[in-house]
Amino acid sequence: EAKKEFFSRFGYTSYEYDLKKRLKANFSPCQNMIDQVVEQRNKIAHGDVVTTGRPIDVFNMIELVKQYCREADCVVADWFKAQKCPIR
């Protein structure tokens, strides 16, 4: 995965493990929701006329994506802080 490759450049190899530990049971639903948001966006952007969705559906999708992003930011920040990185 691109994330793993990116973080491994810095020596951070436990990103997915750390994120799973932080999100616990929400890891899979959050990761799945990111995939669904990307898929939905692509359908809309490419003019798929059978794409359906209500505003509440999108709102619920975005809430899980926000949770994933928040926790991902925290695990990366914690790792860089543990490495004594001056930017965090």
Side-chain angles (χ1 to χ4, degrees):
E1 284 186 29
K3 306 182 281 275
K4 289 180 187 177
E5 290 176 23
F6 176 75
F7 290 127
S8 67
R9 292 178 184 178
F10 303 100
Y12 186 14
T13 57
S14 61
Y15 167 76
E16 190 170 324
Y17 171 80
D18 294 342
L19 191 57
K20 283 180 181 179
K21 192 167 77 172
R22 190 163 178 107
L23 282 167
K24 299 176 178 140
N26 285 335
F27 177 78
S28 291
C30 285
Q31 191 168 39
N32 182 42
M33 198 54 62
I34 288 175
D35 294 340
Q36 287 185 31
V37 167
V38 170
E39 184 179 332
Q40 184 77 355
R41 179 256 166 226
N42 287 343
K43 286 178 181 178
I44 292 167
H46 296 287
D48 187 339
V49 294
V50 294
T51 299
T52 60
R54 300 172 305 163
I56 191 67
D57 297 332
V58 174
F59 177 78
N60 291 335
M61 293 169 81
I62 296 300
E63 288 306 304
L64 280 173
V65 170
K66 284 181 183 178
Q67 180 183 7
Y68 182 93
C69 292
R70 214 176 12 255
E71 299 303 336
D73 186 53
C74 288
V75 298
V76 171
D78 290 348
W79 185 85
F80 274 102
K81 184 177 178 182
Q83 306 308 307
K84 309 292 188 232
C85 181
I87 62 169
R88 277 304 210 179

